[in-house]
Amino acid sequence: MKPGALLSMLGPSTSLQRRLIFASVVGVTLALCGAAVSIGAVLHRFVRGQLDGRLDERIVSLVSDVRGDADGRLALRRDLEVPPFDHLRSGWYWEVRRGDAVLRSASLGGADLAVPAGPAGDDRPAPADGMGPFGDRLILRVLTVPGRLGEAATVFVASAPASALYGPVLEALRTLGLCMALIGALLVVAVLVQVRVGLRPLRRLLEQLGEVRAGLRERIPAEQPLEVRPLVGEINALLDQNAANLAHARGHVANLAHGLKTPLATLAMAFGSTGSSPDARLAGLIEDMDRRIRHHLRRARAAALSGPVRTKVNLAGVVEDLVMVLGRLHAGKGVVFETEVLAGLGVACDRQDVEEMLGNLVENACRWCAGLVRVSARREDSSVVVMIEDDGPGLAPGDRSAVLQRGRRLDESEPGDGFGLPIALELAELYGGSIELEVSSLGGLAIRLVLPG
């Protein structure tokens, strides 16, 4: 199976670090296996060359020492029974054959080597591997010397056991295998180190993105490795585009607020001058509308001036102030507050927005609770989760999405305009957060507010 096919099995969602390590391990394994096969082939050829040279030397000695008499018999001028050709059935054999005349090494024990004659006239021995007379595999070298006028050709044969070739090769391969395993382990360790060092810029980029999301910086620094620079450029371009869109939207808010201020002021003057009771009530509503528009206009201006970089808001301080104010407002109901917010836990939001979100949510819990409201907060990764719970009647699953719609109220008998939860949701989403309604462990409703930390 090809490495590409193996990588495709990992799937697109697999860890990049895992893919790199897997590809490197496969590559190292294939390279080491290829190296082992190549070295094994070289060793086989080297040892075979040594054996062939040794057998050829024996054949050359036989050619120079064998003589024939007038009766056609063969004889040696000197004794050639030297180790290892003197050990019976050792595989180290030699034999000289001319017609019916035969000379053999003592190691053959009178048996014959069934070897076909090589090509006559060749001045170098040729390989002719086969089986020996005792069923053992032999490495054979054969030289056929043509006879003189009227004489038969003389065949010289020398052999060595196959174990003389494969034994040293296998022993060398075992040692080579241990060395290859050690080299492979060192290469895998080097790959792990290389991958961790190579992916370090991506981890640093992730931290910088978290800082951008938390409002600690406006853009990602351009000083990045060459391969990451195009990605950083695209991210910064997206951040610039979002900032431009946000500034454009804030400009529209400011323009809308400015456009409504004059008509509202005119209406306030008109209804205020009449002095009648209904008109006075309408004048109060108009004044309230004017106050809200001025508030959002100031916030839009402040946000436009401060840009996307935001400071941390101490969540514990905001919760403490809200509990104190709402406790007094609902003193007649006897609401008890439980707070579990660590000191120093902050959110990257405008303080006024945090106060408005938590104020709406905690006020809603106070309105519907039986007597207990719990506010807790904890950090989860780069976000802060705030839980507002009460021991009231809660909400049915089908009603939880309805109360997040603007102006939607499930109980018209209770005071309110139905805008508290939707406004809190809108503000949370502006900061990349969310609001979810769940069942509280106290028995009532639990509001899960997620904000950037």
Side-chain angles (χ1 to χ4, degrees):
M1 185 178 290
K2 297 181 179 180
L6 291 174
L7 283 176
S8 64
M9 296 172 59
L10 294 177
S13 60
T14 307
S15 164
L16 182 60
Q17 177 173 313
R18 186 179 303 174
R19 290 170 67 90
L20 291 174
I21 293 175
F22 180 80
S24 301
V25 170
V26 171
V28 167
T29 302
L30 293 178
L32 291 179
C33 290
V37 172
S38 301
I39 295 175
V42 172
L43 286 174
H44 181 276
R45 183 174 180 180
F46 175 77
V47 176
R48 177 62 188 259
Q50 296 293 316
L51 286 175
D52 289 346
R54 187 173 181 180
L55 296 178
D56 290 349
E57 290 178 0
R58 174 59 52 175
I59 290 176
V60 170
S61 298
L62 290 172
V63 170
S64 60
D65 290 336
V66 169
R67 60 183 177 82
D69 54 17
D71 297 333
R73 292 178 299 181
L74 298 175
L76 295 174
R77 292 191 179 93
R78 58 191 177 93
D79 185 14
L80 295 180
E81 298 299 337
V82 294
F85 292 93
D86 58 345
H87 298 293
L88 183 62
R89 298 188 177 188
S90 62
W92 294 93
Y93 310 133
W94 60 262
E95 182 180 282
V96 181
R97 183 184 297 273
R98 180 187 294 168
D100 295 333
V102 179
L103 284 178
R104 306 179 183 87
S105 62
S107 56
L108 278 170
D112 292 328
L113 287 173
V115 180
D122 195 347
D123 58 349
R124 297 188 61 184
D129 297 353
M131 301 298 295
F134 308 109
D136 48 346
R137 292 186 60 190
L138 299 178
I139 296 172
L140 296 163
R141 300 287 289 179
V142 181
L143 175 64
T144 301
V145 178
R148 299 177 182 177
L149 295 176
E151 293 183 352
T154 306
V155 180
F156 297 86
V157 182
S159 71
S163 59
L165 169 62
Y166 297 107
V169 172
L170 292 177
E171 181 64 28
L173 286 179
R174 278 193 290 269
T175 304
L176 177 65
L178 294 176
C179 295
M180 288 293 182
L182 179 60
I183 293 174
L186 294 177
L187 288 176
V188 169
V189 172
V191 165
L192 294 176
V193 174
Q194 181 181 9
V195 168
R196 290 192 62 85
V197 173
L199 294 181
R200 186 173 298 168
L202 294 182
R203 290 191 290 270
R204 185 168 61 249
L205 178 60
L206 179 62
E207 295 174 356
Q208 293 169 347
L209 279 173
E211 294 175 357
V212 171
R213 183 174 181 272
L216 301 179
R217 63 170 72 231
E218 296 184 12
R219 306 172 84 251
I220 299 176
E223 294 77 14
Q224 304 287 345
L226 183 62
E227 293 78 8
V228 185
R229 288 179 189 173
L231 175 62
V232 172
E234 291 296 328
I235 293 176
N236 283 334
L238 180 61
L239 292 174
D240 293 339
Q241 182 179 357
N242 288 340
N245 292 338
L246 183 59
H248 187 66
R250 285 167 176 165
H252 277 296
V253 172
N255 293 335
L256 177 62
H258 277 293
L260 291 175
K261 279 176 59 180
T262 301
L264 285 174
T266 303
L267 288 173
M269 292 176 60
F271 284 107
S273 61
T274 60
S276 61
S277 178
D279 291 340
R281 183 174 58 85
L282 292 176
L285 293 176
I286 293 173
E287 183 180 358
D288 183 65
M289 293 171 61
D290 183 66
R291 186 179 69 255
R292 290 178 180 269
I293 289 175
R294 290 177 183 275
H295 160 67
H296 288 287
L297 177 60
R298 287 195 301 268
R299 190 171 63 183
R301 285 176 175 174
L305 291 175
S306 62
V309 177
R310 300 183 295 272
T311 58
K312 296 278 187 176
V313 176
N314 184 10
L315 199 58
V318 175
V319 172
E320 183 179 352
D321 293 342
L322 284 175
V323 167
M324 180 181 63
V325 173
L326 293 176
R328 293 176 180 176
L329 290 177
H330 296 273
K333 191 176 182 178
V335 177
V336 177
F337 291 91
E338 291 183 0
T339 59
E340 299 176 4
V341 183
L342 294 177
L345 184 62
V347 292
C349 304
D350 180 78
R351 181 179 181 88
Q352 194 168 2
D353 290 338
V354 175
E355 291 176 350
E356 185 167 355
M357 285 185 284
L358 290 180
N360 287 331
L361 299 179
V362 178
E363 170 67 22
N364 183 79
C366 292
R367 184 180 303 163
W368 293 101
C369 74
L372 177 61
V373 174
R374 177 189 297 162
V375 181
S376 60
R378 67 180 184 277
R379 179 173 297 278
E380 289 187 1
D381 298 330
S382 60
S383 301
V384 173
V385 178
V386 184
M387 297 294 295
I388 299 96
E389 305 174 72
D390 63 71
D391 59 349
L395 284 176
D399 296 332
R400 293 173 190 169
S401 59
V403 296
L404 294 176
Q405 301 175 10
R406 281 186 175 271
R408 181 69 181 273
R409 298 175 58 200
L410 299 179
D411 189 353
E412 300 292 341
S413 63
E414 290 290 331
D417 50 19
F419 285 89
L421 288 178
I423 290 176
L425 175 60
E426 181 179 341
L427 289 174
E429 290 178 345
L430 285 176
Y431 289 101
S434 63
I435 288 181
E436 297 178 2
L437 304 183
E438 305 171 354
V439 178
S440 171
S441 60
L442 302 179
L445 182 66
I447 303 177
R448 176 187 173 94
L449 171 63
V450 180
L451 295 174

